[in-house]
Amino acid sequence: MNILFHFFRFVKDFRSKRGQRYELSTILTIIFSAFCCGFSTYQDIYQFSQENAQFFIDFFSITSSKLPSYSTIRRVIMGLEEEDFFSIFYPMIDSNYNHEDIQDYIAIDGKTLKGTVSNYKEESQNTLNVVSAFSCEENLIIDYRSFEGKKTSEITVVKDLIREIPLINKVFTLDAAHCNKQTTQLIIDRYNNYLITVKKNQIKLFEELELITEKEQSLDKYFKKDISHGREIIRFISVFDGQKIEHKNFQHVQSIIKVNRSGKRGKKEYEETVYYISSKRETAEIFAEKIQSHWKIENMLHWVKDAIFKEDKRRIKCKNSQNKISLITSIIINFLRIMGFESIKEGINWFRKKWKILLQNPDII
């Protein structure tokens, strides 16, 4: 438990000293213990504390016969600044993510917090959005940025993240929204590489890729067939020389990757062709693996937040609170993965059985 609770000492207490009944570390321990057990709403956290009231009173030597109220828990989450939670998030990553020694592909993707949608019939909404950088090698969230949709854009936030993240010699994987001159050049300038989807939002580049892959000989090919969850997918991956690209904004491309997908979803057949560009030269097999690994950010982060922590069902109108709860969830996901649980559901089930022992014996993990 020291992996997590050790960092509570870096969190500044925003509350007035007058009238305090509980240490901030006590309230944070209750909140984070509840999250580790899968309870992530104000009501669920409060209910968790009440069901375990005597344990917490004894553990913290609380003189009062009561634990922090629902309002106190809510007030602490709302009152702490985003930077306070980052004082837990970033030191945990610095201690457990090997920045220098691993060849890592970093998936970057955005997610809208649907609980901040006020009217589904209105197209233009000032929703809260989160951009995460996810290590496909370590399965850890290594950076987190939030923004309001009407104040800035995902493209701008991603460029800021790439500019500020203290990494070199990594490969950033991104969707087609980030296929532009500024983002790709920024990645190169920061001594990293990229693997990016190309679609018709970059129509000239897209058409050039179509032409090159039709006329030129491929450098390498790879075939893969997957059957899982009622789906059969056949992939043909071909790699071409990226230096054949004449588009002036993408002169640093080393590889063009063409992926032909076909198969069945249930009884329905489908076929599609997708293009990627990369500033690296790799084999078709490696590119195939890394293109698939980009989806880890969906399956191991976004899906986990929605299916297990019910993020999209959380109806909290305050964007500030939604952001902090999403950030706490990211911290808990990292914590459980650092503990060795690839499956967050398995980690939560284990923690529910062991959390009292772990609190009493923090050096166990």
Side-chain angles (χ1 to χ4, degrees):
M1 291 299 287
N2 276 338
I3 295 172
L4 177 60
F5 297 139
H6 163 75
F7 298 111
F8 289 168
R9 63 191 176 93
F10 297 111
V11 180
K12 295 179 181 179
D13 196 340
F14 66 95
R15 303 171 301 162
S16 170
K17 294 290 184 183
R18 185 177 179 181
Q20 280 191 21
R21 294 184 180 181
Y22 313 99
E23 295 289 336
L24 180 62
S25 60
T26 297
I27 301 171
L28 288 175
T29 299
I30 293 171
I31 291 169
F32 276 79
S33 295
F35 265 86
C36 285
C37 292
F39 304 113
S40 57
T41 67
Y42 293 140
Q43 185 60 46
D44 286 346
I45 295 167
Y46 174 69
Q47 188 65 34
F48 169 82
S49 71
Q50 295 306 299
E51 289 175 357
N52 298 281
Q54 195 58 53
F55 171 83
F56 285 120
I57 289 169
D58 295 341
F59 180 75
F60 291 112
S61 300
I62 297 172
T63 55
S64 170
S65 61
K66 295 182 180 179
L67 286 180
S69 66
Y70 172 96
S71 297
T72 299
I73 292 169
R74 179 174 176 271
R75 189 162 56 247
V76 165
I77 292 176
M78 292 181 67
L80 288 170
E81 299 294 334
E82 185 180 58
E83 289 74 17
D84 295 318
F85 291 104
F86 281 137
S87 71
I88 302 170
F89 179 90
Y90 285 122
M92 184 186 293
I93 288 299
D94 290 340
S95 300
N96 293 279
Y97 176 68
N98 196 334
H99 291 220
E100 298 179 358
D101 294 344
I102 61 171
Q103 175 63 47
D104 201 359
Y105 279 65
I106 310 295
I108 300 177
D109 196 25
K111 179 181 186 293
T112 298
L113 273 63
K114 292 182 180 178
T116 62
V117 176
S118 57
N119 184 355
Y120 282 96
K121 294 181 180 180
E122 185 180 336
E123 289 186 9
S124 179
Q125 299 264 340
N126 188 30
T127 55
L128 182 70
N129 305 272
V130 168
V131 168
S132 300
F134 187 83
S135 163
C136 296
E137 183 69 25
E138 300 289 333
N139 297 332
L140 294 174
I141 310 153
I142 59 174
D143 212 335
Y144 173 104
R145 305 292 171 96
S146 64
F147 66 97
E148 292 185 29
K150 285 192 175 181
K151 293 184 177 180
T152 187
S153 69
E154 182 180 315
I155 292 172
T156 300
V157 172
V158 166
K159 285 192 287 188
D160 289 342
L161 186 155
I162 290 167
R163 186 181 296 109
E164 295 165 9
I165 196 168
L167 298 176
I168 59 171
N169 298 323
K170 308 301 180 190
V171 183
F172 294 113
T173 64
L174 302 115
D175 64 30
H178 304 285
C179 183
N180 59 70
K181 176 183 177 181
Q182 294 80 13
T183 300
T184 53
Q185 187 61 55
L186 181 60
I187 292 170
I188 298 299
D189 292 344
R190 296 293 297 167
Y191 303 104
N192 290 296
N193 286 288
Y194 59 79
L195 174 60
I196 302 182
T197 311
V198 180
K199 292 185 177 179
K200 291 184 179 180
N201 58 320
Q202 286 285 350
I203 187 63
K204 291 183 179 179
L205 176 63
F206 183 87
E207 290 176 348
E208 191 172 357
L209 298 187
E210 283 187 314
L211 187 62
I212 291 170
T213 56
E214 285 176 7
K215 291 188 173 183
E216 299 292 334
Q217 185 73 26
S218 65
L219 302 176
D220 193 23
K221 293 183 178 181
Y222 178 69
F223 166 83
K224 187 177 182 182
K225 183 176 182 179
D226 291 324
I227 301 175
S228 64
H229 303 291
R231 296 191 304 172
E232 179 183 285
I233 304 173
I234 297 171
R235 296 181 179 90
F236 285 98
I237 297 92
S238 305
V239 179
F240 299 82
D241 184 0
Q243 290 296 291
K244 298 289 184 180
I245 293 175
E246 296 180 359
H247 197 302
K248 64 180 182 179
N249 293 342
F250 298 94
Q251 294 300 297
H252 32 63
V253 176
Q254 295 297 313
S255 300
I256 300 164
I257 305 98
K258 180 180 181 180
V259 180
N260 295 103
R261 297 190 189 105
S262 61
K264 291 182 179 180
R265 294 188 179 104
K267 295 182 179 180
K268 195 171 183 180
E269 294 187 356
Y270 74 95
E271 186 174 351
E272 63 179 356
T273 301
V274 184
Y275 297 96
Y276 301 83
I277 54 172
S278 179
S279 55
K280 282 181 70 69
R281 283 193 182 273
E282 294 286 6
T283 65
E285 183 175 1
I286 289 176
F287 276 131
E289 176 192 341
K290 300 310 179 183
I291 287 169
Q292 277 193 271
S293 74
H294 176 80
W295 290 99
K296 281 188 172 185
I297 197 168
E298 288 289 343
N299 300 329
M300 301 186 74
L301 176 56
H302 297 167
W303 183 87
V304 169
K305 284 191 167 186
D306 289 338
I308 297 176
F309 291 98
K310 312 299 181 186
E311 184 166 88
D312 277 351
K313 294 182 179 179
R314 192 178 297 124
R315 295 293 177 247
I316 300 175
K317 293 182 180 179
C318 176
K319 295 182 180 66
N320 185 33
S321 297
Q322 283 273 22
N323 177 40
K324 291 168 189 174
I325 293 175
S326 184
L327 182 49
I328 293 172
T329 306
S330 293
I331 293 170
I332 297 303
I333 290 170
N334 276 347
F335 171 61
L336 293 173
R337 292 255 164 77
I338 290 166
M339 286 172 59
F341 293 102
E342 183 172 308
S343 166
I344 298 302
K345 187 175 181 180
E346 287 182 9
I348 287 172
N349 290 338
W350 181 86
F351 200 89
R352 284 178 177 177
K353 299 173 184 176
K354 304 284 188 179
W355 69 271
K356 291 181 182 179
I357 297 172
L358 297 175
L359 275 182
Q360 293 168 327
N361 302 275
D363 293 329
I364 292 177
I365 55 173

